[in-house]
Amino acid sequence: MANIHDVARVAGVSISTVSYALSGKRPIGEKTRLRIDEAVRELDYMPNAAGRMLAGTRTRIFALTAPLRSDTYAPAHMAFVLSVVTAARKYDYDVLLLTEDEATDGLRRVSSSRLVDGIIVLDVSMNDERADLVRSLGVPAALIGVPRNAEGLVCVDLDFEAAAGLAVDRLVDAGHTSLALLGHPAAVYERGSNFPMRFRDGFLRRAAEREVAASFTMVEKEAAQVRSALAELLDADQAPTGLVVHGEEGVHKTLLDAVAGRGLSIPGDLSIIAGVPTFDTSAFTPPLNVIPLIPADSCTRAVELAVQQLDGAVAPRVELVAPRYRDHGSVAAPRPGP
Amino acid sequence: MANIHDVARVAGVSISTVSYALSGKRPIGEKTRLRIDEAVRELDYMPNAAGRMLAGTRTRIFALTAPLRSDTYAPAHMAFVLSVVTAARKYDYDVLLLTEDEATDGLRRVSSSRLVDGIIVLDVSMNDERADLVRSLGVPAALIGVPRNAEGLVCVDLDFEAAAGLAVDRLVDAGHTSLALLGHPAAVYERGSNFPMRFRDGFLRRAAEREVAASFTMVEKEAAQVRSALAELLDADQAPTGLVVHGEEGVHKTLLDAVAGRGLSIPGDLSIIAGVPTFDTSAFTPPLNVIPLIPADSCTRAVELAVQQLDGAVAPRVELVAPRYRDHGSVAAPRPGP
DNA sequence: GGCATTTGTCGAAACGTTTCGATAGATGGA
DNA sequence: TCCATCTATCGAAACGTTTCGACAAATGCC
């Protein structure tokens, strides 16, 4: 396999000239550069990664630590991983994958052996030991998700409060004056991540700001529970006409079945918006308007911030990604009251 | 960050002594080794990865190319990826993740820049361009799945024929004399991977060997189609009493519903074995006996073969992993005939 | 006690880059 | 024409390891 000396010999120049010609860090004469390009092609030269890492100060590799917790939705998880890789490649970075069982040891290993230039931390939970580790390692890093103690860390996450606010806005704008949020099971709000709370708070706050009635219900996953939660809401006085659903895929489907079972049409009788899912609500029957959690959005930004940390210091921060709204026709004006 | 010179200085030895002490490749005196260990701890020394790669002949990194085709079941896919990483770590290897869009370019890049020592190719399809590329690169590689042209390649896959044979054996051993295989939709047998055919062939061959009646039906995914396929089978003369199902998760569930809907009990009226799924059939109602496709089995072996290629040449081969049978109580003796 | 072998350690070369400083030649200004 | 500046190129050092060959000291054998 050809090395830079071979290229230099064939092109009749010194190796430093080859290096500068390829990196473009110093001006090289037109004719010389052409000869070098020619030699590179002829020899099928590609710089040796190890040599580069050693001489340069960069390895051009990021570590990605991606726990696969049992409550993680696998397709979404995969989408996050792939988004990170894709984003990293835009900056000419490769991604080394660390698994859950090696989370902290692996991070320690790859960072203190200088195998990676930085770390992307996926699916960060409230009390994530990786957060503290990353802080103590002092390595460039970007977390996706916000730990309880985010001090000194660079974090990226969807703006869940704004997302919920956006859902409220769309429903109120359509004319709804009584809204309900169907949330995760109670257990989710007690432990784990904080985003369900942030979504709930955003929902209630914006509803208050818009001066509309709003309720929040935690819904267990079982079909029967979903049905009874829906019944309780719709059978009440002042029943909500606009629903925001923040839950798992199955809950959405059960809910849609239950709505259909009651003979209600969407959006004729009931408007529904799905909140920050990672699955595709446009394939539901009927398709649901949605404020999706888009892996590429957070991942791209996280990689960007990691790259920036390499040359300029980036101030620690929690950066919230703006939510987007996708209309699939599940929101309309409420029926005029009886 | 400390380097080997620092360690040598603190321990009062030369750097080569440090290197040998850490690698164990030459005997080092007891006292010297202790001094070196002490210095390593004191300085929190960890060998620099780039220096190692450059001087040694190994990078201790494998590339993993894992396409995420739309028809891939994401949780299984993720399980394969994680299994590869876990297996690689056993050999002190890290894994660099390449995505679909960079499949061939990425492989070319990381192998000709000598960033990786070898390649693990996941989810290999019949006409997989990565197979030809890997062959032409001449880099140590192990494929999981078997391409049409496996010449010169090291491939690992589940022994689908044996798996189907195992299912037949268990049913026949339980006393069944009329079996049926419910397979994938017809389209799957026409394009894509060849394992559905291998499973089907294994089923029919073993049934013939065991001298029992056996039928094969391709089943579309829609619930109605599943139900009618089941009806057609069970309403026939000489209806099968033992079923083998090779399909997606949804098809299994629909099938179980349909069976229950006909008032049949499992395994009282009907014995069922699920063939080579990646999902968990023990959580079904009722739980199904299964010959699972276990990611860790193939991945471990693939990594092993990749590692072996690094020092001894490994002869090209297609290595089939033995299937395993898991009993969850869905097979019993058939009811005595009428 | 002399010689061959083993054990423990060292120095130096090699791996393949990047990059700093130097230099020769070309260009420009006065 | 002389000096300053700029452009294009080169040589050499540095990055941090591993490993080969050498060698001194310790050990074993007769």
Side-chain angles (χ1 to χ4, degrees), chain A residues 66 96 194-195 255 271 273 318 320:
Chain A
L96 207 68
N194 57 2
F195 68 87
L255 187 74
S271 290
I273 297 180
V318 172
L320 298 178

Short mmCIF file of all heavy atoms in Angstrom, two decimals, chain A residues 66 96 194-195 255 271 273 318 320:
data_model
loop_
_atom_site.label_atom_id
_atom_site.label_comp_id
_atom_site.label_asym_id
_atom_site.label_seq_id
_atom_site.Cartn_x
_atom_site.Cartn_y
_atom_site.Cartn_z
N ALA A 66 -24.61 4.91 23.38
CA ALA A 66 -26.04 4.80 23.14
C ALA A 66 -26.61 3.63 23.92
O ALA A 66 -26.60 2.51 23.45
CB ALA A 66 -26.27 4.59 21.64
N LEU A 96 -17.44 5.80 16.59
CA LEU A 96 -17.14 4.56 17.29
C LEU A 96 -18.29 4.29 18.23
O LEU A 96 -18.65 5.14 19.04
CB LEU A 96 -15.86 4.78 18.10
CG LEU A 96 -15.00 3.60 18.41
CD1 LEU A 96 -14.37 3.06 17.14
CD2 LEU A 96 -13.91 4.02 19.38
N ASN A 194 -37.08 13.78 32.25
CA ASN A 194 -37.92 14.88 32.69
C ASN A 194 -38.76 15.48 31.57
O ASN A 194 -39.55 16.37 31.79
CB ASN A 194 -37.08 15.97 33.34
CG ASN A 194 -36.00 16.47 32.40
OD1 ASN A 194 -35.91 16.03 31.26
ND2 ASN A 194 -35.20 17.41 32.88
N PHE A 195 -38.59 14.94 30.35
CA PHE A 195 -39.30 15.59 29.26
C PHE A 195 -40.82 15.42 29.31
O PHE A 195 -41.54 16.32 28.88
CB PHE A 195 -38.73 15.20 27.89
CG PHE A 195 -38.94 13.78 27.50
CD1 PHE A 195 -40.11 13.40 26.86
CD2 PHE A 195 -37.97 12.82 27.75
CE1 PHE A 195 -40.30 12.09 26.48
CE2 PHE A 195 -38.16 11.52 27.37
CZ PHE A 195 -39.33 11.15 26.74
N LEU A 255 -56.31 4.43 21.04
CA LEU A 255 -57.12 5.62 21.18
C LEU A 255 -57.94 5.87 19.92
O LEU A 255 -59.15 6.16 19.98
CB LEU A 255 -56.22 6.82 21.48
CG LEU A 255 -56.94 8.11 21.80
CD1 LEU A 255 -57.53 8.02 23.21
CD2 LEU A 255 -56.01 9.31 21.70
N SER A 271 -60.59 16.89 17.38
CA SER A 271 -59.29 17.19 16.77
C SER A 271 -58.20 16.58 17.64
O SER A 271 -58.28 16.63 18.87
CB SER A 271 -59.09 18.69 16.67
OG SER A 271 -59.95 19.25 15.70
N ILE A 273 -53.85 15.98 18.12
CA ILE A 273 -52.45 16.20 17.73
C ILE A 273 -51.58 15.26 18.54
O ILE A 273 -51.75 15.13 19.75
CB ILE A 273 -52.02 17.66 18.01
CG1 ILE A 273 -52.83 18.64 17.16
CG2 ILE A 273 -50.52 17.82 17.74
CD1 ILE A 273 -52.46 20.10 17.39
N VAL A 318 -27.56 24.46 27.61
CA VAL A 318 -28.62 23.54 27.22
C VAL A 318 -29.30 24.18 26.03
O VAL A 318 -29.90 25.24 26.16
CB VAL A 318 -29.63 23.31 28.34
CG1 VAL A 318 -30.80 22.49 27.83
CG2 VAL A 318 -28.95 22.59 29.51
N LEU A 320 -32.06 24.15 23.18
CA LEU A 320 -33.33 23.50 22.85
C LEU A 320 -33.65 23.68 21.37
O LEU A 320 -33.57 24.79 20.84
CB LEU A 320 -34.44 24.08 23.72
CG LEU A 320 -34.23 23.84 25.22
CD1 LEU A 320 -35.34 24.47 26.03
CD2 LEU A 320 -34.08 22.36 25.52
#
